[in-house]
């Protein structure tokens, strides 16, 4: 008889409880009924505990947990595995197969919908009629106590709550979920607000009252709950959330969902990672993306049959778009430069030059196996990004630049004073003068100022040479920012671009001109200073500022010039770690200038050497050369092979302030000519001779 009643009840009750399907009810009903029979005087909570602890349902609950939680986790893990395989694959065919597998898995995950979260879109619900409510009340009332309690708990109601209210809340659940998301939608758009208003208005009377009471809202004089008051309360509640970091994260997630930057398109992510690796933040604006309108104008009014003919739609990528196509400006050596000049002219005419910037690059993504086999591994494309020079090329504030430059000038003066202070005889003479009541400090100040001004003069020559090439090629530059040095007084200067160079040739010329000029002036000063040092007697030499012999021996070029001028054995000492050599102030400035300009030519980030490496090897090659150079110099410094510690401190400077490659030139497709390549090799030899120590 009991089984007959259960079967009859199950025929009437066909709506799932607490997310369980009909199979669950078939399993739960006998257990719950037996608990009512065995525990007639127990409380509802005690019956619920007995229900969850029953042996008949133990395996079922374990399997349910696996189905609800472990299943999605396994699917997510499989999706991540497929993404990793896609990112590491070098075959276009394999990538297409992986994309299909990911699409199938994503469809399966959406169909499973285990963690369905209500979208903030209003949808109409079937009317909640009195007959429907009464039928539900009759059916649910006949269920065992445990199942009735589970049904009420589904709507966050206590076990003794009105069953009719639970039915109303169950029916209105999609609208309630929509309303519960309102505090997380910042800012709330007019469309979302309208959906929220319709959702609250569509609730039954009981559901409206329950929802408003949970917000602490009281009914008006007519006993009704005003919709606008409820929505205002929901919007305002987001400002009072205790977990502000969580709220900020949710806001960011909502913004990301509406953004075109990073959706779940694996192709966009794959392309973007190479952009992020090879193009610095100064060359792309993540927060200012090219608009659809500007891209339409670019295609319709800038591109053309005589300039650049696109072969595909724009491809979304970090910081902007890729546009693939064909250069229609001829086959001459200057065709790419001519194309970029023509496009720039068109952009000025249409006003796009104020909002967009174009760079002609080789595709930063590695070529696929199929492209390598067919010889199509060099793939030029246009990289379109937003244009705002005030953000792209001015990351440091003027006050910060001014303070750093002032500290560099001060450290240069300290270097000069220190060179004098290391001379014990000179300091003894100064002490004697002071003790005798004298105030003449010229024996210290004159050589110190000569050293400081000469070092600054070398850097001025360096920057003037940069400026000459920039003027020739119409490159806009920022104000040079001098950088202090503990060992040399002045590390150099950071000279940032305010507009891109024309091409790699222009970038190469600009990068080489500064160090070449600084090197030339430094050699002249060193040669002159050594000549003046050798022309005076030993008594006068004892009054000169000094440099550590260890520093002079750190350069084959400098050490050779010293021994050639002052005689063999000038750098020999039984204690080279502490030995000092008196030199004329001009010679000391020349030594500092040679070291600083040679270090500037090391291929690191966007130093002058890094710019030369970019022009010679392209962005990917420059990145590899930079990584190798950094590791090599760090190893030399850490393992004690650099006694003067020049490399270690310079690596620290470059890693902090100049670690990224420079912003791209307009045309980075054309390679350097042979002449510049030979000049670069000769420069490398000079740098090596300057920085390799005397053996």
């Amino acid at each position: 008889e009991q089984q007959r009643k259960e079967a009859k009840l199950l025929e009437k009750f066909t709506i799932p409880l607490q997310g369980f399907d009909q199979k669950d009810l078939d399993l739960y009903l006998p257990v719950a009924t037996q608990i009512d029979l065995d525990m007639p005087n127990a409380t509802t909570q005690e019956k619920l505990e007995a229900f969850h602890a029953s042996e008949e349902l133990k395996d079922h609950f374990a399997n349910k947990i696996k189905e609800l939680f472990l299943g999605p986790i396994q699917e997510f893990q499989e999706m991540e595995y497929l993404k990793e395989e896609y990112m590491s694959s070098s075959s276009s065919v394999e990538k297409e197969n992986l994309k299909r597998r990911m699409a199938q898995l994503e469809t399966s995950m959406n169909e499973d919908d285990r963690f369905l979260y209500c979208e903030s879109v209003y949808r109409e619900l079937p009317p909640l009629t009195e007959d429907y409510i009464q039928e539900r009340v009759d059916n649910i009332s006949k269920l065992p106590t445990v199942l009735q309690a589970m049904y009420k708990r589904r709507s966050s109601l206590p076990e003794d709550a009105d069953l009719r209210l639970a039915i109303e809340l169950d029916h209105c659940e999609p609208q309630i979920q929509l309303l519960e998301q309102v505090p997380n939608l910042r800012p709330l758009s007019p469309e979302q607000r309208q959906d929220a208003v319709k959702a609250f208005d569509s609730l039954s009377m009981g559901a409206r009252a329950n929802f408003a009471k949970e917000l602490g809202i009281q009914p008006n004089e007519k006993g009704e709950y005003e919709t606008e008051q409820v929505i205002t309360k929901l919007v305002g509640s987001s400002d009072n959330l205790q977990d502000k970091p969580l709220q900020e994260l949710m806001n960011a997630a909502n913004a990301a969902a509406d953004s075109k930057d990073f959706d779940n398109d694996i192709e966009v992510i794959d392309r973007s990672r190479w952009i992020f690796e090879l193009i610095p933040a100064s060359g792309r604006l993540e927060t200012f993306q090219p608009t659809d309108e500007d891209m339409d104008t670019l295609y319709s009014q800038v591109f053309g049959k005589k300039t650049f003919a696109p072969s595909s739609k724009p491809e979304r990528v970090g910081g902007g778009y890729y546009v693939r196509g064909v250069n229609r400006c001829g086959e001459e050596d200057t065709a790419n430069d001519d194309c970029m000049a023509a496009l720039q002219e068109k952009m000025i005419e249409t006003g796009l030059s104020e909002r967009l910037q174009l760079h002609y690059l080789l595709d930063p993504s590695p070529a696929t196996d199929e492209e390598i086999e067919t010889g199509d591994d060099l793939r030029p494309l246009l990289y379109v990004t937003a244009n705002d020079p005030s953000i792209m090329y001015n990351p440091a504030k003027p006050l910060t630049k001014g303070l750093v430059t002032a500290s560099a000038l001060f450290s240069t003066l300290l270097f000069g004073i220190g060179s004098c202070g290391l001379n014990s005889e000179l300091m003894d003479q100064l002490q004697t003068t002071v003790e005798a009541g004298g105030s003449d400090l010229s024996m210290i100040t004159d050589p110190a100022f000569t050293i400081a001004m000469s070092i600054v003069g070398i850097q001025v020559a360096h920057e003037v040479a940069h400026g000459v090439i920039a003027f020739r090629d119409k490159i806009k530059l920022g104000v040079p920012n001098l950088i202090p040095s503990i060992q040399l007084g002045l590390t150099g200067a950071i000279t940032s671009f305010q507009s891109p160079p024309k091409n790699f040739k222009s970038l190469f010329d600009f990068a080489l001109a500064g160090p070449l000029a600084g090197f030339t002036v430094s050699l002249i000063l060193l040669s002159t200073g050594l000549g003046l040092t050798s022309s005076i007697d030993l008594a006068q030499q004892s009054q000169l500022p000094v440099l550590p012999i260890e520093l002079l021996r750190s350069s084959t070029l400098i050490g050779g010039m010293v021994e050639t001028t002052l005689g063999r054995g000038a750098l020999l000492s039984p204690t080279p770690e502490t030995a000092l050599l008196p030199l004329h102030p001009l010679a000391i400035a020349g030594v500092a200038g040679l070291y600083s300009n040679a270090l500037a030519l090391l291929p690191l980030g966007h130093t002058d050497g890094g710019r030369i490496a970019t022009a010679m090897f392209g962005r990917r090659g420059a990145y590899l050369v930079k990584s190798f150079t950094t590791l090599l110099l760090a190893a030399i410094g850490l393992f004690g092979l650099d006694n003067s510690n020049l490399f270690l401190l310079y690596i620290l400077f470059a890693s902090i302030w100049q670690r990224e490659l420079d912003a791209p030139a307009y045309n980075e497709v054309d390679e350097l000519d042979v002449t510049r390549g030979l000049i670069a090799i000769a420069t490398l030899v000079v740098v090596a001779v300057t920085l390799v120590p005397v053996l």
Side-chain angles (χ1 to χ4, degrees):
E1 179 64 19
Q2 180 179 335
Q3 292 176 352
R4 187 183 64 79
K5 290 181 179 179
E6 292 173 0
K8 186 176 181 180
L9 180 58
L10 285 173
E11 290 177 0
K12 293 183 177 180
F13 192 84
T14 57
I15 299 180
L17 294 177
Q18 190 68 2
F20 300 127
D21 55 24
Q22 194 65 31
K23 292 182 179 179
D24 294 333
L25 288 177
D26 292 341
L27 185 62
Y28 296 160
L29 189 57
V31 178
T33 302
Q34 190 62 44
I35 289 175
D36 276 349
L37 295 175
D38 295 342
M39 305 172 62
N41 299 322
T43 63
T44 302
Q45 182 60 34
E46 291 173 341
K47 291 182 179 181
L48 283 169
E49 293 174 358
F51 178 80
H52 290 296
S54 63
E55 289 295 329
E56 296 93 328
L57 301 177
K58 184 177 181 180
D59 293 339
H60 169 77
F61 287 143
N63 293 331
K64 203 71 175 178
I65 291 174
K66 290 181 181 179
E67 180 185 347
L68 290 174
F69 296 100
L70 297 184
I73 291 175
Q74 290 173 351
E75 290 177 338
F76 293 150
Q77 290 176 339
E78 183 179 358
M79 180 65 78
E80 291 303 313
Y81 170 77
L82 292 176
K83 288 181 178 179
E84 290 177 5
E85 287 291 305
Y86 183 94
M87 303 287 270
S88 60
S89 175
S90 59
S91 170
S92 58
V93 175
E94 183 181 10
K95 285 190 171 184
E96 286 299 322
N97 292 333
L98 289 169
K99 279 176 58 179
R100 282 194 290 269
R101 289 175 59 187
M102 285 187 284
Q104 292 170 357
L105 182 58
E106 185 175 5
T107 302
S108 174
M109 293 168 65
N110 291 336
E111 289 175 352
D112 292 343
D113 220 8
R114 292 185 178 91
F115 293 109
L116 177 64
Y117 192 64
C118 176
E119 295 182 358
S120 296
V121 178
Y122 173 80
R123 64 177 185 267
E124 296 287 346
L125 294 177
L128 187 61
T129 64
E130 186 62 32
D131 291 341
Y132 173 82
I133 295 176
Q134 190 58 50
E135 181 184 2
R136 296 276 288 171
V137 169
D138 293 341
N139 289 336
I140 297 175
S141 298
K142 297 175 183 178
L143 289 171
T145 306
V146 170
L147 296 184
Q148 291 188 46
M150 290 172 62
Y151 183 76
K152 294 176 182 179
R153 284 190 173 187
R154 179 185 182 186
S155 300
S156 302
L157 295 175
E159 292 81 3
D160 58 351
D162 182 17
L163 184 55
R164 183 186 182 90
L165 176 59
I167 293 171
E168 292 183 17
L169 294 176
D170 184 24
H171 178 81
C172 300
E173 182 179 7
Q175 313 298 39
I176 294 175
Q177 284 189 358
L178 188 151
L179 291 167
E180 288 174 345
Q181 290 183 83
V182 169
N184 300 327
L185 301 175
R186 300 295 303 274
L188 189 68
S189 68
E191 294 79 9
Q192 291 170 333
R193 189 182 186 92
Q194 184 179 3
D195 284 347
V197 169
K198 290 193 295 184
F200 185 76
D201 288 341
S202 67
L203 297 180
S204 64
M205 293 300 296
R208 286 166 61 93
N210 183 76
F211 191 84
K213 287 178 181 178
E214 288 183 350
L215 294 175
I217 297 176
Q218 300 298 322
N220 57 21
E221 297 177 355
K222 299 180 180 179
E224 299 174 347
Y225 295 91
E226 298 179 2
T227 303
E228 189 59 34
Q229 186 180 4
V230 171
I231 303 304
T232 302
K233 182 75 172 181
L234 286 172
V235 174
S237 64
S238 61
D239 298 328
N240 300 320
L241 291 177
Q242 295 180 356
D243 194 350
K244 289 295 183 181
L246 176 61
Q247 177 63 22
E248 293 174 2
L249 180 63
M250 297 178 75
N251 292 342
N254 290 330
D258 295 333
S259 174
K260 295 181 180 179
D261 290 1
F262 291 103
D263 48 21
N264 289 325
D265 189 339
I266 190 66
E267 291 182 297
V268 175
I269 299 173
D270 188 33
R271 289 192 296 265
S272 298
R273 62 180 175 141
W274 303 109
I275 280 289
F276 294 152
E277 181 177 311
L278 300 177
I279 304 294
S282 60
R284 49 184 165 82
L285 297 180
E286 293 301 323
T287 55
F288 298 93
Q289 304 296 337
T291 64
D292 293 341
E293 292 77 11
D294 285 343
M295 292 302 297
D296 290 340
T297 303
L298 186 68
Y299 266 71
S300 61
Q301 300 184 34
V302 176
F303 296 152
K305 296 180 179 180
K306 295 183 179 180
T307 53
F308 183 85
S311 59
S312 64
K313 295 180 179 179
E315 301 173 9
R316 189 71 186 88
V317 71
Y321 292 92
Y322 283 165
V323 178
R324 304 182 189 274
V326 180
N327 181 359
R328 298 293 190 184
C329 290
E331 301 294 335
E332 294 80 7
D333 293 340
T334 61
N336 292 329
D337 290 335
D338 295 341
C339 178
M340 293 305 297
L343 292 177
Q344 190 64 25
E345 184 178 346
K346 286 284 187 180
M347 288 179 64
I348 294 174
E349 293 176 2
T350 58
L352 286 180
S353 60
E354 299 178 358
R355 301 186 298 277
L356 298 183
Q357 192 153 271
L358 303 181
H359 302 282
Y360 199 37
L361 314 174
L362 292 176
D363 191 344
S365 304
T368 64
D369 296 340
E370 292 79 7
E371 289 170 335
I372 294 175
E373 289 177 2
T374 59
D376 191 26
D377 52 330
L378 298 178
R379 299 153 294 160
L381 52 80
L382 281 176
Y383 177 48
V384 185
T385 185
N387 182 27
D388 189 341
S390 64
I391 299 176
M392 295 173 68
Y393 300 108
N394 285 302
K397 296 181 179 180
L399 178 60
T400 303
K401 289 185 174 182
L403 292 175
V404 174
T405 297
S407 66
L409 295 174
F410 183 66
S411 70
T412 305
L413 181 59
L414 286 181
F415 175 76
I417 295 173
S419 299
C420 298
L422 290 175
N423 189 332
S424 57
E425 293 189 21
L426 191 59
M427 295 307 296
D428 290 342
Q429 182 180 346
L430 176 64
Q431 184 176 359
T432 301
T433 301
V434 172
E435 290 176 351
S439 59
D440 184 12
L441 304 179
S442 59
M443 65 187 72
I444 299 293
T445 57
D446 287 353
F449 274 108
T450 300
I451 293 172
M453 294 303 295
S454 298
I455 292 176
V456 172
I458 293 171
Q459 192 60 44
V460 168
H462 182 120
E463 298 305 322
V464 167
H466 278 324
V468 170
I469 301 300
F471 178 79
R472 184 198 72 181
D473 294 342
K474 299 179 181 180
I475 304 172
K476 297 179 182 179
L477 299 178
V479 178
N481 188 20
L482 299 180
I483 305 298
S485 171
I486 299 174
Q487 300 155 299
L488 304 175
L490 193 65
T491 298
I494 297 177
T495 306
S496 59
F497 291 135
Q498 294 289 304
S499 65
K502 181 180 179 181
N503 49 34
F504 275 154
K505 295 177 182 178
S506 177
L507 178 65
F508 178 89
D509 294 348
F510 175 87
L512 183 62
L516 185 61
F519 226 95
T520 302
V521 175
S522 298
L523 282 174
I524 293 173
L525 290 178
L526 177 57
S527 179
T528 303
L530 289 175
L532 293 173
T533 302
S534 64
S535 66
I536 59 178
D537 57 34
L538 293 178
Q540 291 175 310
Q541 286 184 11
S542 65
Q543 305 302 309
L544 292 175
V546 298
L547 279 182
I549 285 181
E550 196 68 53
L551 180 63
L552 298 173
R553 288 179 58 84
S554 295
S555 168
T556 299
L557 175 62
I558 294 173
M561 291 182 66
V562 170
E563 290 197 330
T564 300
T565 307
L566 301 183
R568 289 190 174 276
L571 298 180
L572 296 179
S573 171
T575 57
E577 296 82 5
T578 58
L580 302 170
L581 182 68
L583 293 172
H584 191 276
L586 294 181
I588 292 178
V591 170
L594 285 175
Y595 275 128
S596 63
N597 281 278
L599 290 171
L601 285 169
L602 293 174
L604 300 171
H606 59 278
T607 62
D608 289 325
R611 288 164 171 165
I612 291 174
T614 302
M616 287 190 65
F617 307 114
R619 293 198 165 267
R620 187 170 301 283
Y623 183 83
L624 295 175
V625 171
K626 179 197 78 168
S627 302
F628 174 77
T629 304
T630 302
L631 292 175
L632 177 62
L633 297 183
I636 291 174
L638 292 174
F639 289 104
L641 302 178
D642 176 23
N643 295 326
S644 59
N645 292 322
L646 286 173
F647 293 151
L648 201 58
L649 291 177
Y650 190 77
I651 283 292
L652 181 63
F653 153 73
S655 298
I656 295 175
W657 284 289
Q658 295 191 294
R659 63 183 179 275
E660 292 186 314
L661 300 179
D662 216 331
Y666 283 122
N667 168 23
E668 292 196 352
V669 174
D670 293 338
E671 299 178 349
L672 289 183
D673 54 88
V674 176
T675 301
R676 287 182 172 83
L678 294 175
I679 292 174
I681 295 174
T683 302
L684 177 62
V685 173
V686 173
V687 170
V689 172
T690 305
L691 297 180
V692 172
V694 176
L695 301 177

